[in-house]
C-alpha cells in the first residue's frame, strides 16, 4: 500500500513541478467555469475549492491517491465498528452516536445501538427536566446556570457549540465552561453564581484527568460550603465512561451519564458529553444537531471520492501539506458564533494527526498534520491577515460563511459577506507590482514614489482558499460542519497511514507534571531535575517566598 501511495505521491510531485508557475488568476482566466467544476454541494452547503490550484489532473491524481491508500475500505472499517484504533484496541464509532433509530452497529458482535439510544433518551429527558424546572436544586430553586467542568474533548465541543448555537438557548439559562487547572478559571466562573441555582456537570471520559478532578473538587467545596453535603446529589451530575472512578470520586452513579471507550474524547460532543449544550438548546435541537452529523456520514460513505466533500477537504489538505509543502492551515469563519470553532478543530485535527509513526509503529515517510489555527473574520483581517497576504509562507485557508444571519443588524451581514468574499478574491488574485504602480500613478505619485512604494503594495496572490457556504448556522449545520472536518481528518490519517484515534503524545507532559507537583509544593527535592527546570523551580520558590 505504501509503495502504491508513494507512486501516486511521485506523480503528484511531478504534476506540481510542471504546474507550479501557473497562478490561480491564470487558472480562472483559462477556465471561467472553474467554480462549477470545482465545487460540490450537499443540499444548501457548498464546498468551493475552485480557488485552490487543483485542476482536473490534480483531482484525478488525488482520487488515485485515495484508492491507493484504501480510503474506501478503511472508511467501511470505521463505520462498521472494526477496531481501527489499534494502539488502544478500540473501535471508533462516534458515527454511531448520531445514527438514527433502527441502525445496527456491532462491536465485538454486540449491537451498540440499544445502549446509544437509551443513553440519548436519558440525556434528553434530563435536559428537558432541567429546562422545564421539573428538576430543581436542593432548596427548590430552578437551575439558571449550568457549569460544565471538563477539558479537551470534554470541554471544547460543548463550549464551542454553546456559543455557535446561542440563538437556540433557552432564556434564563446560562452555560459556563471550566477547563483550566489554573484556579482563576473556576474562581472567576463561580464567583457570581448562586449555588442554589447552579447545576454542575463533571465531564471526563476517564474521570481521572487532573484538571477536571481538581476543578470538580473546588466546585463541590463551594457548593457544600453554601448548601451542605446533602445538596451535592441534587447539584452534580457525572458524564463518563468510567463508573468506578465516578463512585471513587464520591459521586452518585445514579446521576451518571455514560458513553463508551469507542468514543474518542475529541469526537465525543455527540455523546452525553454534549449534555450541557443539550440543556441549553433543548433535546429537539440536539437531535437536529445529531441528524446533521449523520447526513454527512451518509455523504462521506456514499458519494464518489471526486464529489465527496470531506474526502476532498482531506485530499486537498494533503496536496497542500505534502506536495506544496505548506505547514499550516487556517480556518477563518465569517460567522462570529464560530469563534471557538478553530480551537475545537485544533484538538480534532492536531491531536488526531500530529503523529510521526505509522499504524504499525514505523517512522512516517511523509509530513503529517499541519498546524491548524484561525480566528473569525473580520477580526483576523485586522490582526494576522497581513502575513496571509504578504508573508513569506503560504497558508491555505478555509473561509466559512452563512448566507442568512440570525439577526439583521442594519446592513452588517452584507458587510460581513462582502469581506469574506473580498478576502477569498484577494488571496486568489493578489495585485501585481504593475497594478500597484498604476494605482499609485493615478493617485498622483511621482515616479520615485511609485518605485519606492509599489513593492510594498504588491500582493503575490495565488494563495489558495476553500469556501464553505451554508444557509444559516443552525443545529443541523453545526452538526454537518463538525462531521465534515471529522471525516477530513480521517481521510488524511488514512493517506498518512497513521492512527488518528490515539493521543500518546499528551502523556509525557502529564507524567512529568505529576512528578513536579510535590517538588513545587516543597514536599520533594529538586535533585533529579534538569538544570533549567531546577533553576526555574528555585526561582519560583523564591518569588513564592519559599
Ligand atoms: O475526558 P477526559 O478523560 O477527562 O480527557 C480529556 C482530554 O484529555 C486528553 O486525553 C488529552 O490529554 C484528550 O484526548 C481528552 O479529550
Amino acid at each position: 500500500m505504501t509503495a502504491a501511495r508513494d507512486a501516486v505521491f511521485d506523480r503528484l510531485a511531478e504534476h506540481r513541478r510542471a504546474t507550479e508557475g501557473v497562478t490561480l488568476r491564470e487558472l480562472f482566466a483559462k477556465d471561467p467555469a472553474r467554480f462549477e467544476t470545482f465545487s460540490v454541494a450537499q443540499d444548501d452547503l457548498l464546498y468551493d475549492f475552485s480557488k485552490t490550484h487543483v485542476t482536473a489532473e490534480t483531482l484525478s491524481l488525488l482520487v488515485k491517491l485515495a484508492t491507493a491508500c484504501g480510503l474506501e475500505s478503511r472508511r467501511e472499517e470505521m463505520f462498521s465498528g472494526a477496531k481501527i484504533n489499534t494502539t488502544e484496541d478500540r473501535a471508533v464509532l462516534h458515527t454511531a452516536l448520531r445514527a438514527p433509530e433502527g441502525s445496527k452497529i456491532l462491536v465485538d458482535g454486540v449491537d451498540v445501538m440499544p445502549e446509544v439510544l437509551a443513553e440519548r433518551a436519558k440525556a434528553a429527558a434530563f435536559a428537558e427536566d432541567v429546562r422545564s424546572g421539573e428538576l430543581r436544586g436542593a432548596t427548590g430553586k430552578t437551575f439558571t446556570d449550568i457549569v460544565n467542568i471538563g477539558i479537551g474533548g470534554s470541554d471544547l465541543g460543548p463550549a464551542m457549540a454553546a456559543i455557535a448555537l446561542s440563538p437556540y438557548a433557552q432564556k434564563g439559562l446560562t452555560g459556563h465552561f471550566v477547563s483550566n487547572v489554573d484556579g482563576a478559571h473556576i474562581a472567576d466562573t463561580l464567583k457570581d453564581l448562586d449555588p442554589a441555582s447552579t447545576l454542575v456537570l463533571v465531564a471526563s471520559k476517564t474521570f481521572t484527568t487532573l484538571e477536571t478532578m481538581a476543578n470538580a473538587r473546588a466546585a463541590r467545596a463551594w457548593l457544600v460550603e453554601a448548601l451542605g453535603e446533602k445538596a451535592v446529589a441534587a447539584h452534580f451530575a457525572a458524564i463518563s465512561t468510567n463508573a468506578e472512578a465516578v463512585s471513587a470520586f464520591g459521586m452518585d452513579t445514579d446521576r451518571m451519564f455514560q458513553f463508551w471507550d469507542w468514543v474518542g474524547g475529541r469526537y465525543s460532543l455527540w455523546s452525553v458529553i454534549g449534555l450541557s449544550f443539550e440543556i441549553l438548546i433543548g433535546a429537539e435541537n440536539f437531535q437536529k444537531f445529531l441528524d446533521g452529523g449523520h447526513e454527512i456520514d451518509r455523504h462521506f460513505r456514499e458519494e464518489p471520492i471526486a464529489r465527496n466533500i470531506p474526502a476532498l477537504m482531506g485530499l486537498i489538505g494533503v496536496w497542500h501539506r505534502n506536495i506544496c509543502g505548506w505547514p499550516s492551515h487556517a480556518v477563518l469563519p465569517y460567522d462570529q458564533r464560530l469563534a471557538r470553532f478553530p480551537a475545537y478543530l485544533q484538538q480534532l485535527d492536531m491531536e488526531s494527526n500530529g503523529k510521526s509513526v505509522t499504524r504499525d509503529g514505523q517512522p512516517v515517510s511523509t509530513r503529517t498534520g499541519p498546524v491548524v489555527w484561525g480566528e473569525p473574520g473580520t477580526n483576523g483581517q485586522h490582526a494576522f491577515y497581513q502575513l496571509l497576504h504578504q508573508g513569506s509562507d503560504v497558508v491555505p485557508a478555509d473561509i466559512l460563511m452563512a448566507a442568512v444571519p440570525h439577526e439583521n443588524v442594519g446592513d452588517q451581514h452584507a458587510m460581513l459577506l462582502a469581506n469574506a468574499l473580498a478576502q477569498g478574491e484577494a488571496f486568489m488574485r493578489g495585485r501585481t507590482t504593475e497594478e500597484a504602480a498604476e494605482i499609485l500613478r493615478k493617485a498622483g505619485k511621482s515616479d520615485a514614489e511609485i518605485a519606492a512604494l509599489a513593492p510594498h503594495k504588491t500582493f503575490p496572490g495565488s494563495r489558495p482558499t476553500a469556501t464553505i457556504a451554508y444557509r444559516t448556522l443552525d443545529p443541523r449545520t453545526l452538526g454537518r460542519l463538525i462531521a465534515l472536518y471529522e471525516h477530513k481528518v480521517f481521510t488524511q490519517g488514512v493517506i498518512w497511514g497513521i492512527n488518528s484515534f490515539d493521543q500518546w503524545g499528551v502523556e509525557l507532559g502529564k507524567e512529568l507534571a505529576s512528578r513536579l507537583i510535590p517538588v513545587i509544593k516543597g514536599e520533594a527535592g529538586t535533585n533529579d531535575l534538569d538544570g533549567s527546570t531546577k533553576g526555574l523551580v528555585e526561582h519560583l520558590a523564591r518569588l513564592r517566598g519559599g
Side-chain angles (χ1 to χ4, degrees):
M1 195 160 286
T2 315
R5 181 198 67 181
D6 290 350
V8 188
F9 264 143
D10 288 346
R11 290 179 64 189
L12 277 162
E14 201 178 300
H15 164 62
R16 171 74 180 155
R17 277 192 294 278
T19 55
E20 198 167 351
V22 182
T23 64
L24 288 175
R25 256 200 218 200
E26 286 162 346
L27 289 178
F28 273 97
K30 213 166 88 192
D31 177 11
R34 259 188 85 72
F35 173 75
E36 285 74 30
T37 316
F38 299 109
S39 60
V40 181
Q42 189 273 336
D43 198 8
D44 60 296
L45 186 151
L46 184 79
Y47 176 63
D48 166 27
F49 58 103
S50 61
K51 291 199 196 81
T52 68
H53 297 86
V54 168
T55 62
E57 188 183 350
T58 327
L59 194 56
S60 134
L61 286 170
L62 289 173
V63 172
K64 286 195 173 75
L65 182 66
T67 309
C69 296
L71 176 62
E72 283 160 337
S73 57
R74 294 209 75 86
R75 180 184 65 189
E76 280 323 293
E77 280 177 11
M78 174 175 72
F79 277 104
S80 60
K83 295 196 174 172
I84 61 172
N85 176 359
T86 45
T87 62
E88 296 179 310
D89 193 28
R90 289 174 183 167
V92 172
L93 274 179
H94 44 282
T95 52
L97 300 169
R98 53 209 189 208
E101 282 182 38
S103 311
K104 188 172 177 177
I105 300 167
L106 304 181
V107 175
D108 290 330
V110 178
D111 185 5
V112 298
M113 285 312 292
E115 275 199 52
V116 167
L117 294 173
E119 212 57 22
R120 199 186 287 172
K122 184 176 157 193
F126 183 81
E128 289 306 319
D129 284 351
V130 172
R131 287 161 65 82
S132 68
E134 175 78 27
L135 208 66
R136 290 165 185 248
T139 65
K141 277 196 178 179
T142 53
F143 291 116
T144 55
D145 293 276
I146 315 299
V147 178
N148 184 81
I149 296 179
I151 197 164
S154 301
D155 165 75
L156 285 163
M160 176 276 292
I163 299 171
L165 297 180
S166 59
Y168 300 84
Q170 177 163 298
K171 277 207 179 62
L173 270 181
T174 309
H176 309 265
F177 298 87
V178 178
S179 50
N180 201 321
V181 77
D182 184 339
H185 204 177
I186 188 88
D188 281 353
T189 305
L190 297 182
K191 76 176 186 301
D192 295 326
L193 299 186
D194 174 5
S197 57
T198 300
L199 175 67
V200 180
L201 305 177
V202 183
S204 173
K205 179 174 171 181
T206 54
F207 229 75
T208 56
T209 305
L210 173 96
E211 293 89 340
T212 303
M213 296 303 110
N215 282 322
R217 278 193 296 274
R220 195 179 198 282
W222 168 81
L223 187 99
V224 168
E225 196 187 344
L227 303 177
E229 190 69 37
K230 276 203 187 122
V232 172
H235 289 263
F236 272 74
I239 302 169
S240 188
T241 58
N242 188 348
E244 246 173 59
V246 170
S247 41
F249 188 76
M251 285 181 66
D252 202 339
T253 42
D254 288 350
R255 266 285 184 92
M256 174 179 162
F257 296 87
Q258 66 153 344
F259 61 115
W260 305 273
D261 70 358
W262 40 261
V263 183
R266 54 197 173 274
Y267 299 87
S268 63
L269 176 58
W270 316 95
S271 74
V272 286
I273 286 289
L275 184 58
S276 50
F277 138 70
E278 182 167 11
I279 294 172
L280 299 175
I281 66 164
E284 202 180 315
N285 281 321
F286 190 78
Q287 184 59 51
K288 288 182 185 159
F289 165 73
L290 297 182
D291 293 343
H294 180 67
E295 265 182 64
I296 296 300
D297 292 340
R298 290 190 54 187
H299 173 96
F300 182 52
R301 214 169 173 181
E302 292 164 11
E303 291 298 319
I305 301 297
R307 308 296 298 161
N308 190 312
I309 300 175
L312 286 168
M313 289 166 72
L315 291 167
I316 293 168
V318 167
W319 160 254
H320 289 154
R321 179 78 179 107
N322 299 114
I323 309 300
C324 304
W326 296 324
S328 89
H329 180 87
V331 179
L332 309 171
Y334 280 75
D335 200 329
Q336 176 59 26
R337 293 198 174 99
L338 287 178
R340 293 294 287 159
F341 196 49
Y344 176 78
L345 294 182
Q346 281 180 327
Q347 189 200 13
L348 175 63
D349 199 316
M350 293 163 77
E351 201 171 75
S352 296
N353 286 344
K355 311 278 165 71
S356 295
V357 292
T358 59
R359 279 190 296 274
D360 47 13
Q362 300 305 309
V364 290
S365 55
T366 58
R367 299 273 176 199
T368 59
V371 174
V372 175
W373 59 287
E375 276 289 321
T378 56
N379 299 17
Q381 288 174 209
H382 296 274
F384 54 80
Y385 276 39
Q386 165 64 40
L387 182 148
L388 298 187
H389 284 292
Q390 291 187 318
S392 54
D393 274 307
V394 172
V395 182
D398 293 342
I399 295 177
L400 283 73
M401 67 186 87
V404 183
H406 282 284
E407 34 294 282
N408 280 304
V409 182
D411 57 356
Q412 286 187 212
H413 198 66
M415 293 181 196
L416 178 70
L417 291 181
N419 271 279
L421 295 173
Q423 291 299 326
E425 194 184 345
F427 288 129
M428 184 272 278
R429 292 183 57 78
R431 175 171 283 160
T432 64
T433 308
E434 294 69 41
E435 287 167 343
E438 185 55 27
I439 293 166
L440 289 164
R441 192 166 299 115
K442 283 192 178 141
K445 299 289 179 196
S446 69
D447 285 353
E449 285 170 324
I450 292 171
L453 279 177
H456 298 278
K457 293 182 172 258
T458 298
F459 292 71
S462 212
R463 302 204 157 189
T465 58
T467 304
I468 300 179
Y470 42 87
R471 185 175 296 111
T472 202
L473 186 61
D474 55 17
R476 169 192 176 221
T477 295
L478 183 68
R480 288 188 295 168
L481 288 175
I482 298 172
L484 283 177
Y485 279 94
E486 284 177 351
H487 295 320
K488 168 200 171 169
V489 165
F490 175 84
T491 299
Q492 296 189 331
V494 170
I495 304 297
W496 291 322
I498 56 182
N499 178 358
S500 300
F501 301 101
D502 58 12
Q503 56 285 319
W504 299 108
V506 300
E507 293 306 322
L508 178 59
K510 287 185 194 174
E511 280 164 31
L512 296 185
S514 313
R515 203 190 60 174
L516 280 167
I517 292 169
V519 177
I520 290 169
K521 286 162 81 177
E523 295 164 3
T526 55
N527 284 349
D528 292 345
L529 304 179
D530 65 82
S532 166
T533 310
K534 182 172 186 288
L536 288 167
V537 167
E538 288 167 359
H539 178 70
L540 290 167
R542 277 194 296 278
L543 297 183
R544 283 156 57 92

